[in-house]
Amino acid sequence: MKIPSLKEVVSAEEWQLRVNLAAAYRLVAAYGWSDLVFTHISARLPGPEHAFLINPYGLMFDEITASSLVLIDQQCNKLRESPFPVNPAGFTIHSCVHAVREDAGCVLHTHSRAGVAVSAQKAGVLPLSQQSTLILNSLAYHDYEGIALHAEEKPRLQANLGSAHFLMLRNHGLLTVGRTIPEAFLNMYLFENTCRIQIDAQGGGELNLIGPGPIAANRNVTQTATAGQGANLAWPALLRKLDRENPGYDA
C-alpha cells in the first residue's frame, strides 16, 4: 500500500511524534499484544489545541506508518485530510483519559490474552514477580460496563484512573499512560509481562507472594535502574529492532 509521505508537510515535532507512534504500533504487533485492528494507541501533539494522532482504522498494526496516522481532535474529527477512516468508538476511552490527564502524552490500550485473563480474576494483579512490584504502586481498576461506547461511563473511568499510570479494565484488558510514547510502551511491557507471569505461576503450584516492603521500596526504582533515562534507555534499541525486522514505519 503506497501512502504519500507527510514528512515535508508537517512540522518536525509532529513528524517525530508520528515516527515514534508508528513504531509503537509495530512493536505492539511484534510482541503479540495486538487484537487484529481493534485496539488503539493515541498520542497528543504539544500545544493548546488538543490534537491527537491515532491509527487508521482497518490497518493491521504492523502495516502502520508515520504518514498513515490520522490527526484528530478531542471529538475524533479529522484535522487533516486522510484517505483512512478512524474509529470514534475506539477513541472513547483514550479521549476521556487525555481530557483529565495533562501528563498523558500517550495512552496505550491492549486486549492481550494474558491481560484479559488477569483482568477477569477477582484479585487482579498479585504481587508475584519483580515486574509486578513496579506497577502495583500506580495501579487502578475500572469495572466492566460493556463495550466502551457511552459518554456516561467517562467520569467513572476518569475517577477510577486518578493519577495512576496503569489501569486494569476488568474483563476487558490493560491500559497504560505515559508522558511520552516510549514511556507508555515500557509501562505496557511491564504490565503485559506481569500478567503473563501471573498466569504461568498460577498453573505451577503454591504461590509465593511478595510482601508490602519490597513493593514500597520499588516505588521510584525505575529512574535509578535506568540511570535517569527511564524509557529512553530502551527505546533506541527497540527502534533498531524494528529497523532490522520490520522497516518502513518511519515512512
Side-chain angles (χ1 to χ4, degrees), residues 40 53-58 68-72 75-78 82-91:
H40 307 275
L53 292 169
I54 199 164
N55 53 311
Y57 198 39
S68 68
L69 292 163
V70 184
L71 185 67
I72 58 173
Q75 288 72 46
C76 209
N77 301 307
K78 292 182 186 180
S82 168
F84 299 103
V86 291
N87 179 17
F91 192 55

mmCIF file of all heavy atoms in Angstrom, residues 40 53-58 68-72 75-78 82-91:
data_model
loop_
_atom_site.group_PDB
_atom_site.id
_atom_site.type_symbol
_atom_site.label_atom_id
_atom_site.label_comp_id
_atom_site.label_asym_id
_atom_site.label_seq_id
_atom_site.Cartn_x
_atom_site.Cartn_y
_atom_site.Cartn_z
ATOM 1 N N HIS A 40 -6.100 0.525 20.237
ATOM 2 C CA HIS A 40 -5.579 1.805 19.785
ATOM 3 C C HIS A 40 -4.461 2.299 20.693
ATOM 4 O O HIS A 40 -4.404 1.966 21.873
ATOM 5 C CB HIS A 40 -6.695 2.861 19.750
ATOM 6 C CG HIS A 40 -7.886 2.434 18.972
ATOM 7 N ND1 HIS A 40 -7.983 2.596 17.601
ATOM 8 C CD2 HIS A 40 -9.028 1.809 19.346
ATOM 9 C CE1 HIS A 40 -9.129 2.102 17.184
ATOM 10 N NE2 HIS A 40 -9.786 1.616 18.224
ATOM 11 N N LEU A 53 -2.928 12.008 17.485
ATOM 12 C CA LEU A 53 -2.678 11.051 16.411
ATOM 13 C C LEU A 53 -3.202 9.694 16.833
ATOM 14 O O LEU A 53 -3.052 9.284 17.995
ATOM 15 C CB LEU A 53 -1.176 10.953 16.117
ATOM 16 C CG LEU A 53 -0.530 12.192 15.503
ATOM 17 C CD1 LEU A 53 0.989 12.060 15.523
ATOM 18 C CD2 LEU A 53 -1.032 12.427 14.075
ATOM 19 N N ILE A 54 -3.826 8.995 15.873
ATOM 20 C CA ILE A 54 -4.369 7.663 16.159
ATOM 21 C C ILE A 54 -4.251 6.825 14.892
ATOM 22 O O ILE A 54 -4.023 7.351 13.792
ATOM 23 C CB ILE A 54 -5.834 7.762 16.652
ATOM 24 C CG1 ILE A 54 -6.246 6.482 17.390
ATOM 25 C CG2 ILE A 54 -6.783 8.110 15.512
ATOM 26 C CD1 ILE A 54 -7.501 6.634 18.227
ATOM 27 N N ASN A 55 -4.440 5.520 15.041
ATOM 28 C CA ASN A 55 -4.255 4.618 13.902
ATOM 29 C C ASN A 55 -5.370 4.753 12.880
ATOM 30 O O ASN A 55 -6.530 4.996 13.215
ATOM 31 C CB ASN A 55 -4.170 3.162 14.370
ATOM 32 C CG ASN A 55 -5.336 2.736 15.234
ATOM 33 O OD1 ASN A 55 -5.699 3.412 16.186
ATOM 34 N ND2 ASN A 55 -5.920 1.597 14.917
ATOM 35 N N PRO A 56 -5.035 4.584 11.600
ATOM 36 C CA PRO A 56 -6.056 4.478 10.551
ATOM 37 C C PRO A 56 -6.817 3.172 10.743
ATOM 38 O O PRO A 56 -6.219 2.096 10.751
ATOM 39 C CB PRO A 56 -5.240 4.483 9.262
ATOM 40 C CG PRO A 56 -3.876 4.026 9.670
ATOM 41 C CD PRO A 56 -3.671 4.441 11.089
ATOM 42 N N TYR A 57 -8.109 3.271 10.926
ATOM 43 C CA TYR A 57 -8.913 2.095 11.262
ATOM 44 C C TYR A 57 -8.970 1.140 10.072
ATOM 45 O O TYR A 57 -9.325 1.517 8.963
ATOM 46 C CB TYR A 57 -10.318 2.549 11.642
ATOM 47 C CG TYR A 57 -11.126 1.527 12.406
ATOM 48 C CD1 TYR A 57 -10.540 0.728 13.376
ATOM 49 C CD2 TYR A 57 -12.488 1.384 12.166
ATOM 50 C CE1 TYR A 57 -11.281 -0.193 14.095
ATOM 51 C CE2 TYR A 57 -13.248 0.465 12.878
ATOM 52 C CZ TYR A 57 -12.643 -0.323 13.833
ATOM 53 O OH TYR A 57 -13.394 -1.230 14.548
ATOM 54 N N GLY A 58 -8.594 -0.092 10.324
ATOM 55 C CA GLY A 58 -8.597 -1.109 9.286
ATOM 56 C C GLY A 58 -7.221 -1.606 8.915
ATOM 57 O O GLY A 58 -7.099 -2.680 8.327
ATOM 58 N N SER A 68 0.625 7.409 7.675
ATOM 59 C CA SER A 68 -0.752 6.906 7.648
ATOM 60 C C SER A 68 -1.532 7.258 8.902
ATOM 61 O O SER A 68 -2.769 7.163 8.919
ATOM 62 C CB SER A 68 -0.777 5.386 7.446
ATOM 63 O OG SER A 68 -0.254 4.710 8.576
ATOM 64 N N LEU A 69 -0.867 7.662 9.964
ATOM 65 C CA LEU A 69 -1.558 8.043 11.195
ATOM 66 C C LEU A 69 -2.478 9.232 10.940
ATOM 67 O O LEU A 69 -2.158 10.113 10.138
ATOM 68 C CB LEU A 69 -0.546 8.364 12.292
ATOM 69 C CG LEU A 69 0.263 7.163 12.790
ATOM 70 C CD1 LEU A 69 1.498 7.632 13.537
ATOM 71 C CD2 LEU A 69 -0.593 6.256 13.671
ATOM 72 N N VAL A 70 -3.609 9.249 11.624
ATOM 73 C CA VAL A 70 -4.644 10.251 11.376
ATOM 74 C C VAL A 70 -4.656 11.281 12.505
ATOM 75 O O VAL A 70 -4.620 10.918 13.682
ATOM 76 C CB VAL A 70 -6.030 9.593 11.250
ATOM 77 C CG1 VAL A 70 -7.091 10.635 10.881
ATOM 78 C CG2 VAL A 70 -6.005 8.465 10.219
ATOM 79 N N LEU A 71 -4.693 12.556 12.131
ATOM 80 C CA LEU A 71 -4.741 13.657 13.104
ATOM 81 C C LEU A 71 -6.204 13.981 13.395
ATOM 82 O O LEU A 71 -6.983 14.267 12.470
ATOM 83 C CB LEU A 71 -4.026 14.881 12.540
ATOM 84 C CG LEU A 71 -3.880 16.074 13.489
ATOM 85 C CD1 LEU A 71 -2.955 15.743 14.647
ATOM 86 C CD2 LEU A 71 -3.369 17.301 12.727
ATOM 87 N N ILE A 72 -6.581 13.949 14.685
ATOM 88 C CA ILE A 72 -7.972 14.171 15.081
ATOM 89 C C ILE A 72 -8.042 15.146 16.251
ATOM 90 O O ILE A 72 -7.036 15.434 16.911
ATOM 91 C CB ILE A 72 -8.650 12.849 15.490
ATOM 92 C CG1 ILE A 72 -7.884 12.179 16.645
ATOM 93 C CG2 ILE A 72 -8.776 11.914 14.305
ATOM 94 C CD1 ILE A 72 -8.572 10.960 17.227
ATOM 95 N N GLN A 75 -13.030 15.224 19.761
ATOM 96 C CA GLN A 75 -14.272 14.545 19.372
ATOM 97 C C GLN A 75 -14.060 13.549 18.225
ATOM 98 O O GLN A 75 -15.018 13.049 17.647
ATOM 99 C CB GLN A 75 -15.325 15.583 18.959
ATOM 100 C CG GLN A 75 -15.895 16.387 20.124
ATOM 101 C CD GLN A 75 -14.903 17.397 20.679
ATOM 102 O OE1 GLN A 75 -14.252 18.115 19.895
ATOM 103 N NE2 GLN A 75 -14.769 17.461 21.987
ATOM 104 N N CYS A 76 -12.800 13.286 17.897
ATOM 105 C CA CYS A 76 -12.426 12.325 16.853
ATOM 106 C C CYS A 76 -12.753 12.819 15.450
ATOM 107 O O CYS A 76 -12.915 12.028 14.526
ATOM 108 C CB CYS A 76 -13.060 10.957 17.100
ATOM 109 S SG CYS A 76 -12.073 9.586 16.432
ATOM 110 N N ASN A 77 -12.859 14.139 15.262
ATOM 111 C CA ASN A 77 -12.992 14.715 13.928
ATOM 112 C C ASN A 77 -11.609 14.858 13.307
ATOM 113 O O ASN A 77 -10.653 15.257 13.993
ATOM 114 C CB ASN A 77 -13.652 16.098 14.008
ATOM 115 C CG ASN A 77 -15.027 16.048 14.629
ATOM 116 O OD1 ASN A 77 -15.879 15.280 14.184
ATOM 117 N ND2 ASN A 77 -15.253 16.839 15.666
ATOM 118 N N LYS A 78 -11.480 14.555 12.018
ATOM 119 C CA LYS A 78 -10.193 14.689 11.345
ATOM 120 C C LYS A 78 -9.791 16.165 11.260
ATOM 121 O O LYS A 78 -10.599 17.021 10.875
ATOM 122 C CB LYS A 78 -10.260 14.105 9.941
ATOM 123 C CG LYS A 78 -10.422 12.596 9.890
ATOM 124 C CD LYS A 78 -10.417 12.121 8.437
ATOM 125 C CE LYS A 78 -10.726 10.652 8.331
ATOM 126 N NZ LYS A 78 -10.735 10.182 6.924
ATOM 127 N N SER A 82 -7.335 12.809 5.255
ATOM 128 C CA SER A 82 -6.709 11.490 5.233
ATOM 129 C C SER A 82 -7.631 10.535 4.488
ATOM 130 O O SER A 82 -8.859 10.615 4.633
ATOM 131 C CB SER A 82 -6.483 10.974 6.665
ATOM 132 O OG SER A 82 -6.127 9.600 6.639
ATOM 133 N N PRO A 83 -7.063 9.622 3.691
ATOM 134 C CA PRO A 83 -7.906 8.646 2.995
ATOM 135 C C PRO A 83 -8.411 7.544 3.917
ATOM 136 O O PRO A 83 -9.229 6.725 3.507
ATOM 137 C CB PRO A 83 -6.968 8.069 1.924
ATOM 138 C CG PRO A 83 -5.606 8.188 2.528
ATOM 139 C CD PRO A 83 -5.633 9.468 3.325
ATOM 140 N N PHE A 84 -7.937 7.549 5.156
ATOM 141 C CA PHE A 84 -8.255 6.453 6.067
ATOM 142 C C PHE A 84 -9.364 6.842 7.035
ATOM 143 O O PHE A 84 -9.429 7.974 7.511
ATOM 144 C CB PHE A 84 -7.013 6.050 6.860
ATOM 145 C CG PHE A 84 -5.877 5.561 6.012
ATOM 146 C CD1 PHE A 84 -4.787 6.384 5.758
ATOM 147 C CD2 PHE A 84 -5.910 4.293 5.461
ATOM 148 C CE1 PHE A 84 -3.744 5.938 4.973
ATOM 149 C CE2 PHE A 84 -4.861 3.841 4.672
ATOM 150 C CZ PHE A 84 -3.777 4.662 4.413
ATOM 151 N N PRO A 85 -10.235 5.877 7.375
ATOM 152 C CA PRO A 85 -11.240 6.145 8.402
ATOM 153 C C PRO A 85 -10.633 6.078 9.796
ATOM 154 O O PRO A 85 -9.530 5.543 9.982
ATOM 155 C CB PRO A 85 -12.250 5.002 8.192
ATOM 156 C CG PRO A 85 -11.410 3.876 7.657
ATOM 157 C CD PRO A 85 -10.348 4.524 6.802
ATOM 158 N N VAL A 86 -11.345 6.637 10.748
ATOM 159 C CA VAL A 86 -10.974 6.498 12.155
ATOM 160 C C VAL A 86 -12.157 5.869 12.876
ATOM 161 O O VAL A 86 -13.272 5.834 12.357
ATOM 162 C CB VAL A 86 -10.592 7.846 12.797
ATOM 163 C CG1 VAL A 86 -9.290 8.356 12.221
ATOM 164 C CG2 VAL A 86 -11.699 8.870 12.611
ATOM 165 N N ASN A 87 -11.892 5.381 14.085
ATOM 166 C CA ASN A 87 -12.924 4.687 14.851
ATOM 167 C C ASN A 87 -13.297 5.527 16.067
ATOM 168 O O ASN A 87 -12.603 5.466 17.085
ATOM 169 C CB ASN A 87 -12.404 3.311 15.286
ATOM 170 C CG ASN A 87 -13.418 2.541 16.107
ATOM 171 O OD1 ASN A 87 -14.603 2.866 16.111
ATOM 172 N ND2 ASN A 87 -12.960 1.522 16.817
ATOM 173 N N PRO A 88 -14.376 6.317 15.997
ATOM 174 C CA PRO A 88 -14.749 7.161 17.148
ATOM 175 C C PRO A 88 -14.967 6.359 18.420
ATOM 176 O O PRO A 88 -14.589 6.799 19.516
ATOM 177 C CB PRO A 88 -16.045 7.833 16.680
ATOM 178 C CG PRO A 88 -15.996 7.789 15.198
ATOM 179 C CD PRO A 88 -15.282 6.515 14.855
ATOM 180 N N ALA A 89 -15.561 5.180 18.301
ATOM 181 C CA ALA A 89 -15.785 4.344 19.480
ATOM 182 C C ALA A 89 -14.459 3.940 20.118
ATOM 183 O O ALA A 89 -14.331 3.875 21.343
ATOM 184 C CB ALA A 89 -16.588 3.109 19.098
ATOM 185 N N GLY A 90 -13.455 3.689 19.283
ATOM 186 C CA GLY A 90 -12.154 3.294 19.808
ATOM 187 C C GLY A 90 -11.447 4.406 20.547
ATOM 188 O O GLY A 90 -10.573 4.148 21.383
ATOM 189 N N PHE A 91 -11.808 5.650 20.242
ATOM 190 C CA PHE A 91 -11.160 6.786 20.898
ATOM 191 C C PHE A 91 -11.887 7.193 22.179
ATOM 192 O O PHE A 91 -11.418 8.062 22.899
ATOM 193 C CB PHE A 91 -11.111 7.970 19.934
ATOM 194 C CG PHE A 91 -10.216 9.100 20.381
ATOM 195 C CD1 PHE A 91 -8.879 8.887 20.698
ATOM 196 C CD2 PHE A 91 -10.710 10.391 20.484
ATOM 197 C CE1 PHE A 91 -8.060 9.922 21.109
ATOM 198 C CE2 PHE A 91 -9.894 11.449 20.891
ATOM 199 C CZ PHE A 91 -8.565 11.210 21.197
#
